[in-house]
Amino acid sequence: MGKRKEHELDIHENGKSKSPKLCGTNYPVSISFIVVNEFCERFSYYGMKAVLTLYFINYLHWDQNLSTAVYHAFSSLCYFTPVLGALIADSWLGKFRTIIYLSVVYVLGHIIKSVGAIPSVGNSTVHMSVVGSLSMLGLVLIAFGTGGIKPCVAAFGGDQFDEEHTIERRKFFSIFYMSINAGSVLSTVITPILRGDVKCFGGDCYALAFGVPAILMVIALVVFISGSGMYKKSPPEGNVLSDVCKCIGLAIKNRWRSSEFDSKKKHWLDWAEEKYPRRLIHEIKMVLRVLVLYIPLPMFWALFDQQGSRWTLQATRMNMAFVSLTMLNALLILLFVPIFDVVVYPLIGLCRINLTPLKKMAVGMILAALAFGAATLVEVNVMKTVVEPAPRGQCLLQVYNLAESDIQLDISGSNLFSQPIKSYEDPPSYQHLQLGGSSKNVSMRIIQNKNTSECVQSFREQKAYSLILHSSGSGVVCQLVISADNFHHALTKSCTHPISHRYTKVRCSSGSQVSFINLGLLDFGASYTIILTNGSVGIVPKKMVDVVANNIHITWQIPQYILITAGEVMFSITGLEFSYSQAPANMKSVLQAGWLLTVAFGNVIVLIVAEGAGLNQWMEFLLFAGLLVAVCIIFSIMAYFYKYVDPEELDKLFQDKTVDGEDDDSLKKDKKEHMEQAGDSTYLKSGIKNTAM
């Protein structure tokens, strides 16, 4: 009886209790709670991000570059905070409690973000500051919540498997990744519908679009807590990251102070042997080898995460009739993961090609580069029919001549409209009028049949205007009409409703006169001005095309989505499992955080290029593709020299040394000194416990 209690106590202390299995398999029941939790959490995260760029542009009225910058700054923060989460989990709370506490922060961020999207909160003169502040506070809390739990959930799921079930654990990461994308699919379908099709507060319902993800995050937290009794909960192992940093610092200091007469070391980290256990030093070597390998990886994420920014903005300038690609990536993931596992990888194996994890990741990089090559081709064609908004210091101007004869327009300080403007002629395109500041009063001279008129109008930067010229008793009169308060904003809103429709019977009344007019086809993405005049048969419409229809259909984006998704399957899923498999038991969260940091730095790269390069969009896409190819070559060279390790062999390695009598006294000395100096048994428990066996 005493032995049984002792055994139970040992199991409890080491977090190695056996979890019930799913339907006679080697999969623990506990992972079902983790997978459902991940599904709900990813629904919450991607649902919020699905409308975030449009929220910035349409609701906060930010421009494209600022929206892109904030979007990627938020994404980057979400992948910097995993370091904090890993530190808290490994050093203080353990993975289980870290996930719970940071999920509460996550929920609070969602609530604040939803409140900030309620128009009534900002209907005062401080509208922008209140809404902007609440939005930024909510995003920061969400970033700390989602980032903090990222390295813990995947590692916590891997911890649920027994050591001998490595195949099941590898497949778990595929299932885990599929749950991420299943949540993403549903959220990217549902939240745009909640935003656009459901109206609240007199407009698009961003409050509801952000509120539903908040509810899903609450469900994720409840589900995770429900499985508490079935989890293997490894206790925190002390301040792992601190000991790692101190060990590295001591090794560098000793190496720097060494002389040519000192005994040589095989590795620079061996200079820390005087104070730290050899197992710790060996584990740090393993982690550093992987972290060095991670250095080129951010470039992949710099391309991948532009699906939610640059690719979304590209789509708004295309014909989206009948099709939306917002959830295509997630749908393809659900399709590609089993196809790659069951078909592609086995076929490659039959061809006797040794496709190691690092080779898979290199192929994933190439596929992502090809995706941006495809995006470049699409962008070149899209730009042919798109009117870009005016930059600062300029505005857009087009002229309608409603007089009965040609008119010559002379704008002071400009050579625009040098050719005569024909009567009722469709304007060829918007022209850029230089203002030299935020606003300007512009003098214009109008010449008709040798008669001259003067006209002065006020223009503001970054707006689009239509100048209407029509005859009066005293000559030609000019009237300035603003085409859109924010031209790109107006075009983007029109593109969110992908409807082309033929209007053949539109009721129009003028006083007591009622007419039904035929406007013809109003095409998707186009902008029109309708001129109504009185004719002998009633009101006669004259339709003028300000901006031609988007004639590049959004389905042309499908090849780039297929390529980027195939690259994601080979790069991201492989990298997630690789990070877990190559990490020592007490550093798995740390290495998961290192993997996630590559995503953060990838978003930083986008920020730098988007804000600093000033390139045309197609050139920017091409630049990213070329950079990733160059980085892939560097990564492939590094991967060639990498030697795969099995962290589970560490116990056997150091046990064998002790059994053989090698370094026994040294290990015991390490144990004594480390306990005296560090005050904990972080590495003694995992690294020297077998000495007495």
Side-chain angles (χ1 to χ4, degrees):
M1 186 69 176
K3 289 184 177 180
R4 179 182 176 185
K5 288 184 178 179
E6 183 180 299
H7 177 66
E8 289 176 350
L9 179 63
D10 180 67
I11 289 177
H12 175 73
E13 288 178 346
N14 292 285
K16 301 294 185 181
S17 56
K18 296 284 185 178
S19 173
K21 306 300 183 184
L22 281 169
C23 304
T25 67
N26 290 322
Y27 292 93
V29 173
S30 56
I31 67 167
S32 59
F33 293 93
I34 296 171
V35 169
V36 173
N37 164 268
E38 186 67 11
F39 168 83
C40 295
E41 188 272 327
R42 292 290 87 185
F43 185 108
S44 168
Y45 178 74
Y46 284 111
M48 181 274 300
K49 282 189 73 176
V51 296
L52 193 58
T53 300
L54 294 179
Y55 171 75
F56 291 151
I57 293 175
N58 297 340
Y59 190 83
L60 298 182
H61 306 301
W62 293 351
D63 62 29
Q64 282 191 63
N65 286 335
L66 178 60
S67 300
T68 299
V70 175
Y71 178 92
H72 286 287
F74 166 70
S75 298
S76 181
L77 183 59
C78 289
Y79 289 94
F80 276 118
T81 50
V83 174
L84 178 63
L87 183 62
I88 294 172
D90 286 343
S91 306
W92 180 25
L93 296 176
K95 300 183 188 75
F96 176 72
R97 286 193 293 168
T98 300
I99 293 170
I100 291 177
Y101 293 159
L102 290 181
S103 292
V104 173
V105 174
Y106 200 163
V107 171
L108 183 61
H110 269 303
I111 293 173
I112 293 175
K113 188 78 179 70
S114 303
V115 171
I118 299 175
S120 58
V121 171
N123 278 341
S124 65
T125 56
V126 292
H127 171 82
M128 294 306 296
S129 61
V130 171
V131 173
S133 298
L134 285 174
S135 297
M136 293 304 101
L137 176 60
L139 288 176
V140 168
L141 291 176
I142 290 171
F144 274 94
T146 187
I149 67 176
K150 274 180 187 296
C152 303
V153 177
F156 189 65
D159 289 346
Q160 305 308 305
F161 291 86
D162 299 328
E163 292 182 359
E164 63 270 18
H165 298 147
T166 55
I167 296 176
E168 288 80 1
R169 188 179 63 207
R170 181 180 61 80
K171 291 183 178 179
F172 159 75
F173 285 105
S174 291
I175 297 170
F176 184 81
Y177 208 83
M178 288 181 70
S179 72
I180 292 174
N181 288 275
S184 176
V185 167
L186 290 179
S187 65
T188 50
V189 171
I190 294 173
T191 52
I193 292 174
L194 296 176
R195 176 197 64 83
D197 294 356
V198 178
K199 301 298 178 182
C200 60
F201 307 106
D204 290 347
C205 201
Y206 286 99
L208 183 61
F210 292 140
V212 170
I215 294 171
L216 264 292
M217 191 57 222
V218 173
I219 295 173
L221 178 58
V222 171
V223 169
F224 185 76
I225 294 175
S226 299
S228 176
M230 300 183 185
Y231 297 139
K232 291 181 181 178
K233 303 171 189 174
S234 301
E237 304 252 5
N239 199 336
V240 177
L241 192 58
S242 175
D243 280 355
V244 169
C245 293
K246 290 177 181 178
C247 180
I248 293 173
L250 179 63
I252 294 173
K253 183 177 71 173
N254 288 345
R255 176 67 182 87
W256 180 261
R257 291 179 176 178
S258 65
S259 68
E260 58 180 333
F261 302 105
D262 292 329
S263 58
K264 302 300 182 183
K265 304 288 185 182
K266 290 184 178 179
H267 193 279
W268 63 270
L269 271 171
D270 293 336
W271 287 97
E273 286 180 344
E274 66 182 44
K275 183 176 179 180
Y276 290 93
R278 290 179 179 173
R279 170 154 184 165
L280 170 60
I281 294 172
H282 191 78
E283 289 173 338
I284 295 175
K285 291 177 184 177
M286 293 168 57
V287 170
L288 287 182
R289 280 196 294 267
V290 178
L291 291 178
V292 169
L293 204 60
Y294 284 172
I295 292 174
L297 303 189
M299 186 54 66
F300 174 88
W301 298 113
L303 277 69
F304 179 81
D305 275 351
Q306 290 187 58
Q307 292 178 79
S309 57
R310 293 305 201 196
W311 284 17
T312 297
L313 294 173
Q314 184 187 67
T316 63
R317 294 174 290 132
M318 300 174 71
N319 189 332
M320 293 191 293
F322 314 115
V323 178
S324 174
L325 301 183
T326 53
M327 74 286 191
L328 183 59
N329 172 254
L331 281 172
L332 288 173
I333 280 288
L334 297 177
L335 180 65
F336 282 6
V337 168
I339 288 177
F340 272 74
D341 281 344
V342 177
V343 180
V344 176
Y345 292 149
L347 284 177
I348 293 175
L350 289 175
C351 296
R352 297 183 179 180
I353 298 175
N354 182 22
L355 195 61
T356 63
L358 295 180
K359 288 179 181 177
K360 290 180 185 178
M361 294 170 68
V363 173
M365 288 181 173
I366 295 298
L367 291 172
L370 291 174
F372 265 66
T376 301
L377 295 176
V378 171
E379 184 67 22
V380 168
N381 287 280
V382 166
M383 290 302 298
K384 295 177 181 178
T385 60
V386 170
V387 177
E388 291 293 327
R392 291 191 179 278
Q394 299 181 26
C395 69
L396 297 177
L397 177 64
Q398 62 179 0
V399 180
Y400 293 114
N401 178 10
L402 305 185
E404 298 301 325
S405 61
D406 294 354
I407 288 178
Q408 185 77 36
L409 181 66
D410 181 17
I411 299 179
S412 176
S414 170
N415 59 357
L416 300 178
F417 310 107
S418 57
Q419 299 298 320
I421 304 170
K422 298 185 179 300
S423 178
Y424 285 89
E425 177 186 42
D426 271 2
S429 63
Y430 277 94
Q431 303 295 315
H432 287 256
L433 178 62
Q434 296 286 344
L435 302 179
S438 59
S439 62
K440 184 180 181 181
N441 291 328
V442 178
S443 176
M444 293 171 281
R445 190 161 59 101
I446 304 165
I447 304 172
Q448 181 193 33
N449 299 327
K450 299 183 179 181
N451 295 320
T452 302
S453 303
E454 295 290 334
C455 176
V456 178
Q457 296 293 340
S458 179
F459 296 89
R460 293 184 62 84
E461 65 178 357
Q462 295 185 302
K463 297 186 182 295
Y465 296 93
S466 295
L467 182 66
I468 300 175
L469 307 175
H470 59 89
S471 300
S472 70
S474 58
V476 178
V477 178
C478 64
Q479 181 178 358
L480 191 66
V481 178
I482 189 167
S483 300
D485 190 45
N486 182 323
F487 188 61
H488 186 266
H489 164 62
L491 288 180
T492 302
K493 281 187 67 69
S494 72
C495 289
T496 60
H497 302 283
I499 299 174
S500 297
H501 190 72
R502 191 172 296 278
Y503 295 87
T504 57
K505 197 173 183 182
V506 179
R507 189 177 186 273
C508 187
S509 60
S510 176
S512 60
Q513 183 182 12
V514 178
S515 302
F516 290 91
I517 60 177
N518 180 8
L519 297 181
L521 179 68
L522 300 184
D523 208 351
F524 171 80
S527 178
Y528 302 93
T529 294
I530 309 296
I531 306 295
L532 303 178
T533 58
N534 286 315
S536 58
V537 294
I539 298 174
V540 178
K542 168 63 177 176
K543 181 175 69 174
M544 297 185 179
V545 180
D546 298 341
V547 180
V548 297
N550 295 342
N551 57 12
I552 306 298
H553 199 270
I554 195 173
T555 51
W556 284 104
Q557 278 193 327
I558 291 178
Q560 66 199 57
Y561 273 98
I562 290 175
L563 289 167
I564 199 80
T565 305
E568 180 187 5
V569 170
M570 300 195 74
F571 183 91
S572 186
I573 298 179
T574 306
L576 188 67
E577 195 275 332
F578 175 80
S579 299
Y580 186 90
S581 68
Q582 297 297 290
N586 54 346
M587 297 188 193
K588 291 192 182 295
S589 293
V590 172
L591 203 51
Q592 288 289 324
W595 166 254
L596 295 170
L597 271 178
T598 64
V599 185
F601 285 111
N603 282 273
V604 170
I605 293 172
V606 179
L607 281 173
I608 294 171
V609 174
E611 291 297 305
L615 300 174
N616 291 330
Q617 190 56 69
W618 71 268
M619 295 177 66
E620 187 178 295
F621 284 159
L622 198 60
L623 173 64
F624 276 114
L627 287 175
L628 186 57
V629 171
V631 164
C632 180
I633 295 172
I634 296 171
F635 175 76
S636 299
I637 296 171
M638 296 171 67
Y640 179 79
F641 294 100
Y642 180 81
K643 294 182 180 180
Y644 293 87
V645 297
D646 183 1
E648 294 175 3
E649 294 294 322
L650 283 174
D651 285 334
K652 184 176 184 300
L653 173 65
F654 285 91
Q655 180 183 11
D656 288 347
K657 283 188 176 183
T658 304
V659 169
D660 293 340
E662 297 178 16
D663 300 322
D664 185 58
D665 292 337
S666 176
L667 288 170
K668 288 179 180 179
K669 181 181 178 182
D670 285 342
K671 175 178 179 179
K672 181 179 178 181
E673 290 181 354
H674 195 65
M675 289 182 69
E676 291 174 351
Q677 296 167 357
D680 61 51
S681 57
T682 300
Y683 295 100
L684 306 178
K685 179 165 44 177
S686 62
I688 314 178
K689 181 175 63 177
N690 293 325
T691 302
M693 293 177 62

